[in-house]
Amino acid sequence: GPLFLDKFKQLVEAMRRDFGAPDLPFYYVQIGRFTTPGDSTWWNAVQQDQLTAESQIPHSGMAPSVDLELDDAIHIGTQSLKVLGRRLASMAARDLYQAADVANGPRPASIKRVNTPFGPQIHVTFEGVNGGLTAPGRVSGFSISAPDGSPLTAVYDQTVSDEDPNTIVLWCGEVPSGAQLWYGRGFDPYCNVVDKAGMAV
C-alpha cells in the first residue's frame, strides 16, 4: 500500500541526494511471478505501487517481468534475464544517449464496456505502445473479479483489436457493476502481451 510507495520514492530521492544528481535516471524491474500458495493480495498491491511510482518519480522507468519464465519459484531464468536486460537498456539508450526511440511500454490508458450484436466486450486501451500489441499464441493474462475481490469466470476470449493495435478486446459474459479488471492477478499468472519492441504490459 502507501507504505511501499512512499518508501520507494524516498529510496530514489536518497540515492539521487547521495550521488549529488537530482535527475539521475532510475530504472527498476516490477516484481513478476512467485510460485507459492497463499493470499497474493499484497504481492499484487506492490506491483500496482511499482506501476504508480513510474508516473510519480521523474526520470524513472519500470520494466515489467510478469511475462517471463522462472528458473525456480521466484527467480527469472537466463533467457528471460536477457529479455529484461533489453527492456532496461532500451529505456537507458533513449534517455541517456538518444540512441533509441522506444516508449517504456504498454501502460493502461482506458477501459470501456462495449455492447456488440455478438455479446458484451471490454476494451482495454494502452498508451506507450511501440508499434502495436502482440502475443505469442493466444492473448492471456486478463481476468475479472467481483466487487468483493472474488474471481469471476467471465472472460472467454482475449484478442488484439482489429481496429486499434493498442487495444485488447475481452469477450465476456455479463460483468456486475463495481467489478475489477486485472492483468497478472495472483502469484503465478500466465501473461504474454508485449508490444512490437518487446516491452511488456
Side-chain angles (χ1 to χ4, degrees):
L3 183 61
F4 176 89
L5 184 57
D6 290 345
K7 294 285 187 188
F8 190 65
K9 289 159 75 172
Q10 290 170 18
L11 169 71
V12 176
E13 289 170 11
M15 291 178 75
R16 289 173 170 170
R17 189 170 52 248
D18 289 349
F19 282 111
D23 295 332
L24 180 73
F26 191 88
Y27 305 109
Y28 58 98
V29 175
Q30 185 185 40
I31 57 174
R33 296 167 44 224
F34 184 17
T35 56
T36 188
D39 180 8
S40 62
T41 305
W42 62 275
W43 187 262
N44 295 142
V46 170
Q47 289 170 320
Q48 181 59 48
D49 284 348
Q50 290 176 310
L51 175 61
T52 301
E54 184 182 45
S55 63
Q56 293 186 3
I57 300 173
H59 312 291
S60 73
M62 180 189 75
S65 65
V66 71
D67 62 314
L68 301 177
E69 297 176 8
L70 300 178
D71 264 1
D72 60 26
I74 196 169
H75 295 102
I76 294 169
T78 302
Q79 294 308 312
S80 290
L81 284 172
K82 292 177 182 179
V83 172
L84 196 54
R86 283 191 293 275
R87 290 174 183 170
L88 293 164
S90 293
M91 290 185 282
R94 176 198 65 211
D95 295 344
L96 303 179
Y97 306 105
Q98 292 72 50
D101 182 20
V102 63
N104 284 7
R107 302 295 186 260
S110 68
I111 302 166
K112 70 177 180 179
R113 295 176 191 237
V114 177
N115 289 315
T116 77
F118 309 104
Q121 297 177 343
I122 297 174
H123 291 198
V124 186
T125 301
F126 293 86
E127 59 190 5
V129 179
N130 299 284
L133 298 170
T134 187
R138 183 170 59 92
V139 171
S140 190
F142 293 89
S143 62
I144 295 175
S145 67
D148 67 0
S150 60
L152 292 176
T153 51
V155 178
Y156 60 86
D157 196 15
Q158 309 172 44
T159 61
V160 177
S161 168
D162 291 333
E163 287 83 37
D164 178 5
N166 296 343
T167 295
I168 298 292
V169 175
L170 306 178
W171 292 83
C172 54
E174 291 300 323
V175 175
S177 179
Q180 300 171 332
L181 176 67
W182 298 82
Y183 181 74
R185 185 177 190 195
F187 282 124
D188 189 28
Y190 179 72
C191 300
N192 66 351
V193 182
V194 297
D195 65 20
K196 295 290 176 66
M199 305 298 266
V201 169

